[in-house]
Amino acid sequence: MSRLLRCVATASLGLGLIAALPLSASAAEFTWSAPTDPQTMDPHEVNTTPVLGFLNNIYEGLVRRNAEMAIEGSLAERWEALGTDGWRFHLRKGVTFHDGAAFDAEDVYFSYERAASEASDTSSWFAPVREVRVVDAHTVDFLTHQPDPLFPDSIANFMIMDKGWAETNNAARPDKENATFASLNANGTGPFRLETREPGVKTVLVPHDGWWDTREDNVTRATFLPIGNAATSVAALLTGEVDMINPVPVQDIARIEATEGLTLHRGIEARVIMLGFAHQADTLLGGEAGSGNPLKDATVRAAIARAIDAKAIVDKIMRGNGAVASQLVSSQMKGYSEQAAERPAYDPEAAKAALEAAGLGDGLTLTFACTNDRYINDEAVCKAIASMLARVGVTVELTTMPVRSYWDTLRAGEFDMYLLGWSPGTFDAEHPVRFLVATPNPEKKLGSWNFGGYSSERVDTLLPQVQREIDPAARQAMLDEIAAIVQDETAYVPLHVQPLLWGSKSSVSLVQRPDNFFLLRWVTIAE
């Protein structure tokens, strides 16, 4: 075993990897790495890109996105609107799960009830749904509260589980706190099946020989290694221990590009990196007892936004990769507001004046929660923000942590300010409004990722109108109004659109989609 592989095993992945990794690999075996291990194998347990992206190799939905991000049929061959009442999906016949069980409408209905349950992290996807009806073994109706032209797009990551398998293994509902059989095991219909799962160490997938679709890949065995240390992952690629890494650290871009036999895959992700605030807290965690919450004041939030030089973050920390963001979606997304295209100007002097006018001339102390293994250069970005805010009299108590514990921290409200990245699953501006801006309402399944509790009565009024509006001009006008409200009230501080930076051996052909999902069904390895 090479010295580097021993380093990877002991420093980043655990000693158990040493005996597990193959000493050599055939041309069609594939190994890749990323810093974040998927938290679970349960497609309804955790709603994050590392989980959903990985599980799209194992599980399938009624629809899927192709290489160009267009919606196409998957477990549903076709679908049509039921007037204004919802959508009918005609299921594909002859599909089997990895264990050989037949797929039918009962699995769809079971998966809907499971994914829409309170225990599921994906329940908010089904806010528009009032009822699901099984018409026959291969036809299912999703009836909505109101006309919903975006519904098929919105369920591209709604993955179908086998009802019998889940119930037999006591996994009829997801359980993020205690985990279930489905948290460590999987039984999908997708192109790859789970062979072995060692959380934090490695996960191995092999082809599903009974897959209904035509294979485009030549992967015979795929091994995923979570490597948290950026230098270790680059070293593993340079020495050939792995075939692909995601992401390439920005400081190593030139090195990867200059190395013979390696390819840098560069693109722009749909993800906007932003800051969120504790809008509803009575007292800041970083403030003195009884000092109240100045972040409830929009002028204070606007001052913080003006104190942050987003262009400098892109130019220096991201080394020119990515783009400055002005709103919660990038300009490539449907519904992007040209009227909100200008980000409030960087102006530290104006920020100081605004803070003084708000009675904070003596300073302000904020706790700041940040990941250190989820987004590109996330910890460095947060440290830079803390430094920028210090220049205007805002003291930041920065806490960085791995993503595996981050979402629980945010849900517990243990922050005054926090870092968040958001990629709209529908590639439409309505998506972050529903999840991040709508007033949290578990009954209506709205605002499920609005950790700070931002609330706007006008946004809440406009959102259902946006969701049912068919006329493009009328819909865009409402999205423009929402974007203006979010920007004027500084509900969030958009920072930048994250770049896509993948590195691979030049023998590897792959598809780099802007949702940052890495799908093995498009991977080929040249001899």
Side-chain angles (χ1 to χ4, degrees):
M1 179 177 292
S2 72
R3 179 180 178 184
L4 172 66
L5 187 51
R6 292 183 185 275
C7 175
V8 172
T10 58
S12 298
L13 302 175
L15 291 172
L17 181 58
I18 294 179
L21 280 176
L23 295 178
S24 61
S26 66
E29 292 189 359
F30 181 78
T31 301
W32 85 106
S33 76
T36 304
D37 192 45
Q39 293 171 255
T40 179
M41 295 292 101
D42 188 326
H44 309 144
E45 191 176 298
V46 176
N47 177 17
T48 65
T49 294
V51 171
L52 299 179
F54 189 89
L55 292 183
N56 261 267
N57 290 296
I58 299 173
Y59 286 97
E60 295 176 299
L62 298 176
V63 300
R64 69 186 182 189
R65 294 191 182 278
N66 64 19
E68 290 74 39
M69 298 303 296
I71 289 291
E72 63 182 17
S74 184
L75 295 182
E77 289 184 311
R78 58 188 175 86
W79 55 94
E80 71 264 358
L82 297 170
T84 60
D85 292 331
W87 294 83
R88 172 165 290 178
F89 293 85
H90 301 272
L91 307 184
R92 194 176 300 277
K93 298 178 182 179
V95 175
T96 60
F97 288 92
H98 295 161
D99 66 355
F103 158 75
D104 63 20
E106 289 298 329
D107 299 308
V108 176
Y109 184 79
F110 167 79
S111 297
Y112 158 72
E113 287 199 316
R114 191 178 192 275
S117 68
E118 290 185 7
S120 173
D121 202 28
T122 62
S123 62
S124 56
W125 296 353
F126 302 97
V129 178
R130 59 180 170 86
E131 184 183 359
V132 173
R133 294 177 182 169
V134 173
V135 178
D136 57 42
H138 293 94
T139 311
V140 181
D141 290 348
F142 281 74
L143 305 179
T144 54
H145 294 287
Q146 56 198 16
D148 190 349
L150 286 178
F151 184 72
D153 291 68
S154 74
I155 59 168
N157 291 316
F158 165 44
M159 297 179 224
I160 307 301
M161 299 180 70
D162 176 22
K163 178 178 185 289
W165 179 84
E167 291 180 341
T168 298
N169 291 294
N170 298 314
R173 290 291 184 269
D175 188 343
K176 185 165 55 177
E177 298 301 323
N178 302 302
T180 69
F181 185 81
S183 302
L184 289 172
N185 300 274
N187 182 36
T189 60
F192 288 83
R193 61 180 175 84
L194 181 65
E195 183 178 79
T196 59
R197 167 69 173 164
E198 298 176 56
V201 179
K202 71 170 182 175
T203 303
V204 179
L205 305 180
V206 294
H208 170 36
D209 293 333
W211 190 40
W212 59 269
D213 204 356
T214 302
R215 303 202 72 90
E216 297 180 50
D217 65 278
N218 67 345
V219 175
T220 58
R221 181 181 175 87
T223 302
F224 172 75
L225 307 176
I227 304 179
N229 183 280
T232 303
S233 69
V234 171
L237 180 63
L238 290 169
T239 60
E241 305 288 354
V242 301
D243 300 299
M244 180 261 193
I245 64 173
N246 171 24
V248 172
V250 293
Q251 64 269 22
D252 291 302
I253 290 174
R255 186 181 185 188
I256 298 299
E257 288 183 313
T259 300
E260 185 177 357
L262 297 183
T263 297
L264 178 75
H265 306 267
R266 189 197 302 262
I268 294 292
E269 193 179 355
R271 186 175 310 280
V272 171
I273 307 298
M274 67 190 77
L275 297 181
F277 300 105
H279 291 270
Q280 297 300 323
D282 293 326
T283 303
L284 295 180
L285 297 179
E288 298 180 3
S291 61
N293 179 7
L295 292 177
K296 290 185 176 182
D297 184 347
T299 62
V300 174
R301 302 193 299 267
I304 289 173
R306 287 195 174 278
I308 298 171
D309 190 345
K311 186 175 186 302
I313 291 174
V314 170
D315 290 345
K316 296 178 181 179
I317 297 176
M318 306 302 292
R319 304 200 182 192
N321 295 281
V324 172
S326 67
Q327 50 198 283
L328 304 187
V329 293
S330 71
S331 60
Q332 286 75 36
M333 299 299 103
K334 183 180 178 181
Y336 174 83
S337 177
E338 293 294 343
Q339 297 178 15
E342 290 297 322
R343 189 180 188 278
Y346 169 59
D347 191 340
E349 293 305 316
K352 286 182 185 178
L355 290 171
E356 186 170 351
L360 299 171
D362 293 333
L364 172 66
T365 300
L366 302 175
T367 62
F368 184 13
C370 180
T371 52
N372 56 21
D373 66 350
R374 176 63 190 92
Y375 312 114
I376 296 177
N377 278 359
D378 43 9
E379 185 171 4
V381 167
C382 290
K383 287 181 177 178
I385 289 170
S387 178
M388 292 172 184
L389 292 179
R391 296 171 195 159
V392 301
V394 177
T395 300
V396 171
E397 298 173 352
L398 177 63
T399 300
T400 64
M401 67 193 75
V403 73
R404 65 176 177 270
S405 56
Y406 190 63
W407 307 126
D408 289 339
T409 296
L410 297 191
R411 289 190 175 94
E414 297 173 1
F415 62 85
D416 295 328
M417 187 169 69
Y418 62 94
L419 188 77
L420 179 69
W422 193 261
S423 178
T426 58
F427 277 56
D428 188 282
E430 176 273 341
H431 191 270
V433 177
R434 179 172 17 129
F435 285 90
L436 305 182
V437 184
T439 302
N441 186 323
E443 183 179 348
K444 293 183 178 181
K445 300 175 182 177
L446 296 173
S448 56
W449 285 67
N450 182 357
F451 300 115
Y454 171 77
S455 181
S456 165
E457 184 178 349
R458 179 58 178 163
V459 170
D460 292 342
T461 298
L462 287 171
L463 177 58
Q465 298 177 39
V466 168
Q467 292 170 329
R468 65 174 177 259
E469 182 57 62
I470 297 175
D471 179 69
R475 186 175 191 272
Q476 186 61 54
M478 290 186 284
L479 287 170
D480 286 342
E481 184 177 351
I482 291 173
I485 292 170
V486 172
Q487 191 175 78
D488 292 346
E489 296 187 0
T490 317
Y492 293 86
V493 180
L495 298 171
H496 57 272
V497 184
Q498 183 164 274
L500 284 173
L501 301 168
W502 301 357
S504 77
K505 294 178 180 177
S506 297
S507 58
V508 174
S509 296
L510 52 81
V511 170
Q512 186 181 56
R513 296 197 324 194
D515 59 0
N516 202 19
F517 282 18
F518 176 63
L519 300 183
L520 291 164
R521 65 188 176 96
W522 290 314
V523 172
T524 57
I525 303 134
E527 294 286 347

